[in-house]
Amino acid sequence: MPTVFITGVAGFLGSHLADGFLAKGYKVKGCDSLLGGYRDNVPKGVEFHETDCVDLERMTGIMAGSDIIYHCAATAYEGLSVFSPHLVTQNIVQASVSTFTAGVRNKVRRIVNCSSMARYGSAQAPFHEKTPTQPQDPYGIGKLAAEDLLRNIGEVHGVQWVTAVPHNIYGPR
């Protein structure tokens, strides 16, 4: 079975993905800075690293041997991002670039990037893949920039990639 690496594995989405992959027999590795995630969320069986995705060298090391990346880590301060644009863009854009670059260095086959509905901003719902993006704050702008960077990095380095845009995320954890 392939090895899956999940950023933000101590968060809501990352921890639930880890549960699903472990149940199917995959080896799961992951990282989280614990800025917004909780160590208690990390499922047993995950090779966990308390690491900030911004740290390219550390990410390169801990990602070794991974086949697929699920990039779920984000500073989810959408409404507050106008008050802390440096922190949010560092933890969205720079963290994404470091994650994607570490993946390329480790010759991963596939990267799945989790974006946000914030990419649509004030566009009229319902949203679909052809809805024009109109991000309204640094969080949405950062998420859209990460999508564009992944497309470029994936195409240049021959890595399969996709961006998922979850709608509402709620539930246990």
Side-chain angles (χ1 to χ4, degrees):
M1 289 295 252
T3 298
V4 176
F5 190 94
I6 302 171
T7 68
V9 73
F12 178 84
L13 186 57
S15 65
H16 284 280
L17 282 169
D19 277 339
F21 283 115
L22 288 168
K24 292 187 180 291
Y26 287 79
K27 179 178 179 185
V28 179
K29 298 166 52 168
C31 71
D32 202 297
S33 68
L34 301 178
L35 179 64
Y38 301 94
R39 190 180 298 273
D40 291 349
N41 287 349
V42 180
K44 288 183 180 13
V46 171
E47 181 185 311
F48 176 68
H49 300 271
E50 186 175 339
T51 300
D52 190 325
C53 293
V54 173
D55 186 341
L56 174 59
E57 297 310 317
R58 182 124 164 87
M59 289 295 288
T60 300
I62 65 176
M63 201 179 284
S66 299
D67 300 292
I68 303 166
I69 298 170
Y70 278 78
H71 181 46
C72 304
T75 301
Y77 298 138
E78 183 177 351
L80 299 174
S81 68
V82 294
F83 301 107
S84 57
H86 178 267
L87 174 68
V88 170
T89 54
Q90 176 181 320
N91 289 339
I92 301 297
V93 180
Q94 186 59 46
S96 296
V97 170
S98 293
T99 298
F100 306 154
T101 301
V104 167
R105 286 180 172 182
N106 280 292
K107 299 182 180 1
V108 298
R109 297 183 320 217
R110 184 174 301 129
I111 299 172
V112 179
N113 177 45
C114 295
S115 189
S116 169
M117 296 297 290
R119 70 195 303 276
Y120 298 116
S122 61
Q124 187 66 34
F127 306 123
H128 51 81
E129 290 183 8
K130 301 282 187 208
T131 299
T133 55
Q134 303 173 2
Q136 301 293 304
D137 57 30
Y139 178 81
I141 292 166
K143 284 298 211 174
L144 188 58
E147 292 178 34
D148 289 340
L149 288 160
L150 176 57
R151 180 175 40 258
N152 178 263
I153 291 168
E155 289 172 359
V156 167
H157 296 282
V159 176
Q160 296 174 357
W161 61 272
V162 68
T163 291
V165 185
H167 289 260
N168 292 319
I169 298 177
Y170 65 94
R173 296 190 208 139

